[in-house]
Amino acid sequence: MTRSPASSQIAVEGQRRARERRCIVSHESLPDAMLIRFALAPDGSVVPDVSAKLPGRGAWVRAERASVETAAKKQLFARAFKCDARAPAELAERTESLLARRCLDQLGLMRRAGAVAIGATQVESAIRAKPALMLIEASDGAAEGREKLMSLHIGFWGGPPPAVGCFGSAELGVALGRERVIHACLLQERLATAWAADIGRLAGFRAIVPSSWPDSWRSVQWGLGDADGGSRKVRRRAEQRDV
């Protein structure tokens, strides 16, 4: 079977983040999927390199706000780069913004690969067919609609799926080629696993599921020191789908 260009690009991204790097804050050796790479701009300022593609020397920091803020405050980037590297005060906020943009861009690639069900009708049909790899709900969507889909999944498959609710309907709409998107569901294991790794990194900077939502939406403890937990949950769901 020939892969689409979009799915091939996501697969390459997932394979690239397979090595371990040392965090300049904790000095732990961690998988790439739990870290953010930072690079130096031509003017000597530190910039987030969330795709790990910028040229030159890189410094790696655990994917969490506190670690990025510590690295900037204690001038650890200057030590890592062996020069007068300047970390802007808003570095953590900039990192969060770029991670969120990366997640949305990847979602758009998955749509073009035919790997996303969009809208309540498509998502409901997908859930009835197989356990959801990842249920995506707009943060500003009505509770009644998302709870209906969650209840359907629990009723069919005995438990909740991995879930994401940290993007607004307008953001999801731009990523998925619609005016607004309230409900979506990922359909391909390989792409969903790669996306879960990026969501895991974003979880170090923002809540992936709003605190006001019921506990059933937190089957994955995003951001509790386990950035690849979502990827493992996706793989377990895929195994259940294949039974």
Side-chain angles (χ1 to χ4, degrees):
M1 179 179 178
T2 302
R3 291 180 181 175
S4 72
S7 63
S8 296
Q9 180 176 340
I10 297 173
V12 168
E13 292 290 336
Q15 292 167 4
R16 180 188 57 74
R17 293 197 307 276
R19 295 176 293 181
E20 289 194 345
R21 306 285 187 174
R22 185 177 295 274
C23 172
I24 66 171
V25 177
S26 68
H27 305 295
E28 297 174 280
S29 291
L30 298 168
D32 292 31
M34 297 179 69
L35 297 160
I36 305 293
R37 183 181 188 267
F38 291 85
L40 277 182
D43 64 358
S45 61
V46 177
V47 295
D49 179 19
V50 298
S51 298
K53 290 182 177 179
L54 293 178
R57 186 185 183 94
W60 297 80
V61 178
R62 190 180 184 116
E64 59 184 16
R65 183 179 301 277
S67 291
V68 174
E69 291 175 344
T70 296
K73 182 178 180 180
K74 294 188 175 181
Q75 300 182 343
L76 299 182
F77 290 110
R79 186 182 307 170
F81 288 114
K82 296 180 172 59
C83 68
D84 185 24
R86 299 184 303 278
E90 69 281 2
L91 186 61
E93 288 73 19
R94 178 60 175 161
T95 303
E96 177 186 353
S97 177
L98 289 174
L99 282 171
R101 172 47 49 198
R102 175 179 170 82
C103 289
L104 291 167
D105 288 346
Q106 294 291 82
L107 199 57
L109 289 173
M110 285 188 278
R111 176 187 66 84
R112 292 193 286 276
V116 186
I118 303 172
T121 300
Q122 287 188 20
V123 172
E124 183 174 333
S125 296
I127 289 174
R128 290 179 182 277
K130 292 182 177 181
L133 294 173
M134 185 84 71
L135 185 59
I136 303 167
E137 291 289 324
S139 58
D140 54 343
E144 181 180 358
R146 66 173 174 266
E147 291 303 328
K148 178 182 177 181
L149 292 174
M150 178 60 76
S151 296
L152 178 68
H153 193 283
I154 293 173
F156 263 77
W157 305 108
V164 169
C166 62
F167 301 112
S169 58
E171 292 177 294
L172 292 174
V174 171
L176 295 171
R178 307 284 180 88
E179 183 176 352
R180 291 182 180 274
V181 170
I182 304 297
H183 315 285
C185 179
L186 303 188
L187 302 175
Q188 292 185 14
E189 176 193 357
R190 178 171 45 82
L191 305 186
T193 301
W195 199 66
D198 279 325
I199 289 292
R201 295 197 299 166
L202 181 60
F205 297 84
R206 67 167 66 170
I208 299 304
V209 174
S211 60
S212 59
W213 292 14
D215 288 343
S216 57
W217 292 92
R218 278 175 278 277
S219 64
V220 172
Q221 296 299 310
W222 302 106
L224 296 180
D226 186 17
D228 64 344
S231 298
R232 291 198 302 272
K233 185 69 177 285
V234 167
R235 288 192 290 270
R236 287 197 296 270
R237 280 296 179 195
E239 291 168 0
Q240 185 179 358
R241 286 159 63 99
D242 293 337
V243 172

